[in-house]
Amino acid sequence: MSENVPLNPPARARLRVLSVASEAVPLIKTGGLADVAGALPAALAPHGVAMTTLLPGYPAVLRAVLPAGRAKPKVLHSWDSLLGEPARLLAGTIGGHPLLVVDAPGLFHREGGPYSDVSGQDWADNWRRFAAFSRAAADIATGAVPKLAFDLVHAHDWQAALTPAYIRFAPFERAVPSVMTIHNMAFQGHYGADIFPFLGLPPEAWSVSGVEYHGGVGLLKAGLESAWAVTTVSPTYAREIRTREFGMGLEGLIQSRGDSVHGIVNGIDNTDWNPEADKALAAPYSVRTLPKRRANKRALEQAFGLEPGDGPLFVVVSRLTWQKGMDVLLECIDHLVGIGGRLALLGSGDKAMEAEFHAAAARHPGRVGIRIGYNEALSHQLQGGGDAILVPSRFEPCGLTQLYGLAYGCVPVVNRTGGLADTVIDANLAALNAGVATGVQFNAVHYSALAEAISRTVALHGQPEVWRQIQRAGMKTDFSWGQSGRAYAALYARLVEAQ
Ligand code: ADP
């Protein structure tokens, strides 16, 4: 915790925004949400937005707010009962930007992940943990803490989604504009109707335009109904979630929100993800020094127990799930190896898939290497040493690994969906001739489509000049937060002006 945290933004900032997220790098991460929530404050600062991040007080977050030797946290507020739990609001910093932490020991002082225990089992009271977190966010956004003032609140995913609902339904004095961002429609926070009385919402919130969803409580649904504007993380996904195939039951609601639904593609943090200054790499490199990647490839082969060689090395950094198409990748491994490819995979998730990937590695010693687990440094090394990153997702709201691949010259091979469709340009003849191709796209997640894309990638890799051109075009593409930061800032400004 720093004594010098600006609780109120600098005078030049016009908009004060509270960003409510259940994870944010560098403190706590299970997926892309953390990358985005961690990057937003810096992305928005150049556009006149002072963003404060609100996180739950998990042990990892508290350790950052209470460095060793500094026993006394800065307590800004306390709640005798936050949905029945005593809680305090602590102040700190995250990446040099203001951080607020909801310290509720009964809810968040637990070892394990943010949503699950050490064995991976979801906490049974997640609804209560994140309803309390959202309630705290609504209190803060509406002025419960005199030292803090915000013009707008931005809630991320189902864990923060009751924030706009509390603001809408509770008798607060001030109506605060709200933005609800969907990072993945597959996670909605559905619970039984029996939790409703414990949420502290008035009876009128129990309606189809409120929290009620198919006879139960839908947390994300409540946020989508209540927020002033809805965003998701790519223009294509914003269109897709209006359809039955991708809307996961909420397509009608999304359609009903009309043009208050926006698609803003994620940027990447070029301080964390810059091959020229990446400390995780054996040999940092740039678009002008691509041959240096060879040293990273050698290091990767060693780390994954692969035969050394200049042939195509495919990599994967992913949750091992059906969404990510990992079942279809498993089917394609023999083909990949059969045409001269090798595979290095880092991931964790579905236990049966983990076992099948191990079995594939045993079938193809020296050609397929598997690491089960979560390893940030290794994820950088895979991007810095691999030739092509496979992202065969069935749906992908934005996707970050293909963006890191582009920045690192690790050519993305992706299904044409969501953010993957928006960020990768397929190496068809026209794109190759125009020099704009940045990757390989395919059209459906099944064996023949992925196998064909892998074959096409191997063929492209066999033409060094063409391959280098694809790598260079990807590395030169601007995926920084510049444009997207501006888009969020413009949306905030419109909502605040519309009050
Ligand atoms: P999602 O959020 O759906 O998992 P994204 O592509 O948006 O997918 O973001 C995934 C993020 O998590 C990326 O930053 C990726 O590098 C990281 N990641 C995924 N699996 C691992 C892993 N096993 N080890 C390290 N980083 C991982």
Side-chain angles (χ1 to χ4, degrees):
M1 188 200 75
S2 155
E3 306 293 350
N4 308 321
V5 181
L7 295 179
N8 279 310
R12 64 180 169 74
R14 287 186 311 247
L15 285 183
R16 298 157 300 180
V17 173
L18 181 66
S19 170
V20 187
S22 57
E23 47 185 280
V25 293
L27 300 182
I28 182 94
K29 169 170 169 176
T30 69
L33 162 63
D35 293 280
V36 177
L40 278 179
L44 285 157
H47 306 291
V49 173
M51 181 170 274
T52 297
T53 305
L54 182 71
L55 284 175
Y58 315 116
V61 172
L62 290 177
R63 280 194 289 276
V65 183
L66 299 170
R70 191 95 73 75
K72 272 206 161 178
K74 186 160 187 165
V75 180
L76 297 181
H77 186 69
S78 33
W79 289 266
D80 293 336
S81 169
L82 194 57
L83 301 197
E85 290 291 328
R88 309 182 297 174
L89 184 67
L90 311 181
T93 55
I94 181 165
H97 296 271
L99 170 70
L100 297 171
V101 176
V102 179
D103 179 27
L107 301 174
F108 301 121
H109 286 201
R110 301 175 187 183
E111 291 306 332
Y115 320 121
S116 54
D117 63 20
V118 278
S119 72
Q121 188 72 34
D122 277 357
W123 302 109
D125 61 349
N126 271 344
W127 66 269
R128 190 162 162 268
R129 301 170 75 223
F130 293 104
F133 176 59
S134 301
R135 175 69 213 217
D139 285 357
I140 297 161
T142 50
V145 184
K147 282 182 199 152
L148 300 169
F150 294 99
D151 302 303
L152 181 142
V153 63
H154 184 167
H156 301 273
D157 274 351
W158 70 267
Q159 295 91 336
L162 278 186
T163 308
Y166 280 122
I167 294 173
R168 171 178 161 206
F169 287 108
F172 293 117
E173 280 177 14
R174 223 163 67 81
V176 181
S178 51
V179 173
M180 178 80 237
T181 294
I182 307 161
H183 294 266
N184 192 337
M185 197 62 131
F187 304 109
Q188 299 186 358
H190 283 173
Y191 296 96
D194 53 328
I195 73 164
F196 182 73
F198 301 97
L199 296 178
L201 282 161
E204 62 267 26
W206 182 258
S207 74
V208 281
S209 66
V211 304
E212 192 271 330
Y213 186 57
H214 293 304
V217 170
L219 299 185
L220 180 63
K221 187 258 179 183
L224 297 175
E225 288 281 6
S226 303
W228 289 31
V230 171
T231 73
T232 189
V233 286
S234 69
T236 294
Y237 195 62
R239 284 192 298 277
E240 288 174 340
I241 56 176
R242 301 168 65 86
T243 67
R244 236 176 113 182
E245 190 184 351
F246 295 95
M248 310 258 170
L250 292 175
E251 56 275 11
L253 194 173
I254 295 294
Q255 286 164 26
S256 76
R257 296 290 328 240
D259 56 11
S260 57
V261 180
H262 309 267
I264 302 176
V265 77
N266 290 333
I268 62 175
D269 185 333
N270 335 48
T271 48
D272 270 1
W273 289 93
N274 173 5
E276 224 172 336
D278 191 329
K279 292 198 174 61
L281 299 183
Y285 60 94
S286 73
V287 69
R288 291 175 308 281
T289 57
L290 273 174
K292 285 193 183 175
R293 291 184 97 255
R294 182 168 289 155
N296 297 325
K297 192 165 172 177
R298 293 290 96 85
L300 205 55
E301 288 161 349
Q302 226 176 11
F304 280 82
L306 298 175
E307 298 162 358
D310 289 332
L313 175 53
F314 289 89
V315 301
V316 172
V317 180
S318 183
R319 291 186 285 120
L320 303 182
T321 63
W322 182 88
Q323 178 202 332
K324 300 289 181 181
M326 289 294 119
D327 50 327
V328 178
L329 173 61
L330 275 163
E331 291 173 21
C332 290
I333 287 183
D334 293 353
H335 170 73
L336 184 154
V337 172
I339 58 170
R342 289 164 298 153
L343 174 70
L345 175 142
L346 167 66
S348 64
D350 185 290
K351 296 293 163 213
M353 281 189 199
E354 291 181 3
E356 285 187 63
F357 276 112
H358 275 306
R363 236 179 17 251
H364 299 291
R367 310 293 298 175
V368 175
I370 303 297
R371 281 285 190 89
I372 300 299
Y374 192 92
N375 187 325
E376 193 72 29
L378 200 52
S379 74
H380 287 241
Q381 289 153 12
L382 284 154
Q383 301 278 11
D387 293 306
I389 181 156
L390 292 166
V391 194
S393 305
R394 287 189 165 86
F395 62 94
E396 194 58 81
C398 177
L400 289 171
T401 56
Q402 87 281 10
L403 299 182
Y404 301 145
L406 290 165
Y408 277 61
C410 185
V411 174
V413 180
V414 304
N415 181 33
R416 188 175 294 136
T417 189
L420 302 174
D422 291 336
T423 56
V424 175
I425 300 174
D426 180 59
N428 55 47
L429 259 185
L432 282 173
N433 287 337
V436 296
T438 59
V440 172
Q441 289 194 338
F442 55 99
N443 242 334
V445 182
H446 53 63
Y447 174 84
S448 51
L450 179 56
E452 202 261 333
I454 290 170
S455 300
R456 206 145 66 83
T457 308
V458 169
L460 289 165
H461 186 265
Q463 306 167 64
E465 267 314 306
V466 174
W467 189 256
R468 257 194 301 279
Q469 183 194 309
I470 297 172
Q471 286 179 300
R472 285 200 204 105
M475 292 178 83
K476 285 182 185 161
T477 312
D478 179 11
F479 286 109
S480 68
W481 272 99
Q483 232 175 313
S484 300
R486 201 170 304 122
Y488 277 115
L491 174 64
Y492 298 159
R494 276 206 304 279
L495 296 174
V496 169
E497 277 160 23
Q499 269 187 98

